[in-house]
Amino acid sequence: MKLFVGLGNPGAEYAFNRHNVGFMAVDAIAATHGFPAWRKRFQGLAAEGRLGREQVLLLKPQTFMNESGRSVGEAVRFYKLDLADVIVFHDELDLVPGKVRVKAGGGVAGHNGLRSITAHIGNDYVRVRIGIGHPGSKELVTHWVLNNFVKSDREWLEPLLGAIAKAAPDLAEGANDKFQSLVAHAMHMEAEAADDRPEPTPRKRKDAASADGEKPAPAEGPFGKLRRWFGS
């Protein structure tokens, strides 16, 4: 059994915060690999399924970020897991947006979710660090992480979550370097494809009072595609 933990804060008001990219990652994995519906377990929301040859429990702690370790600790003790079988997806200020790095153990780098997990289970679990970039000043960090991704972030966020989900079986099987390389390659290919795409031709909007009576469709929010994908 492997435990994949996505870090974030519960509630619709936090759903698209940068701090919640860990939740987004495990949501993408669940959707891509056909995991069953989330249910309440271990002070969180959990879904169990298979990634490759491994049985995996996905977990989104609902204890708020600073108390994530309470939820993770319950799951670890219930399944008697080794820390090498615990993989935590979290936002990383010290990586540029769209970059992913995997490491086992190490410091918490001021991340309150990691600090709480380390306090409850120890330090030698695996981290999947998802870059969200740094606002440039320490004083701006809280505002940065607790605010939503902006519309332009969709250009890298959606393909990144898709790449993480697609490569997740390799991560479950302990091939951390392969997982990291697959995600990096997917993002490189996405960037090349984006460079080759022609600029979209602006569409003329239909007048609401046109002869056929058809009203223009309402504008979709910046994360409409993600909301449909995640079922929220």
Side-chain angles (χ1 to χ4, degrees), residues 126-140:
V126 178
R127 286 96 154 149
V128 179
R129 305 162 62 215
I130 303 172
I132 62 168
H134 197 287
S137 169
K138 185 177 180 180
E139 291 73 24
L140 298 176

Side-chain angles (χ1 to χ4, degrees), residues 108-187:
V108 300
H111 195 290
N112 289 333
L114 297 182
R115 181 179 290 111
S116 177
I117 292 171
T118 294
H120 281 265
I121 68 171
N123 197 52
D124 295 329
Y125 52 91
V126 178
R127 286 96 154 149
V128 179
R129 305 162 62 215
I130 303 172
I132 62 168
H134 197 287
S137 169
K138 185 177 180 180
E139 291 73 24
L140 298 176
V141 164
T142 299
H143 177 81
W144 179 256
V145 301
L146 293 179
N147 270 268
N148 289 349
F149 287 107
V150 297
K151 186 174 182 178
S152 60
D153 289 324
R154 287 184 64 187
E155 296 177 6
W156 63 264
L157 180 60
E158 291 183 31
L160 178 66
L161 295 175
I164 287 172
K166 185 176 180 180
D170 293 293
L171 187 65
E173 293 176 6
N176 296 348
D177 290 343
K178 182 179 180 182
F179 166 83
Q180 185 172 291
S181 295
L182 286 171
V183 172
H185 178 71
M187 295 304 290

Side-chain angles (χ1 to χ4, degrees), residues 45-63:
L45 296 175
E48 187 173 336
R50 296 195 71 84
L51 292 175
R53 294 169 293 183
E54 293 289 337
Q55 193 73 9
V56 175
L57 182 76
L58 305 178
L59 179 64
K60 296 189 291 184
Q62 300 294 290
T63 50

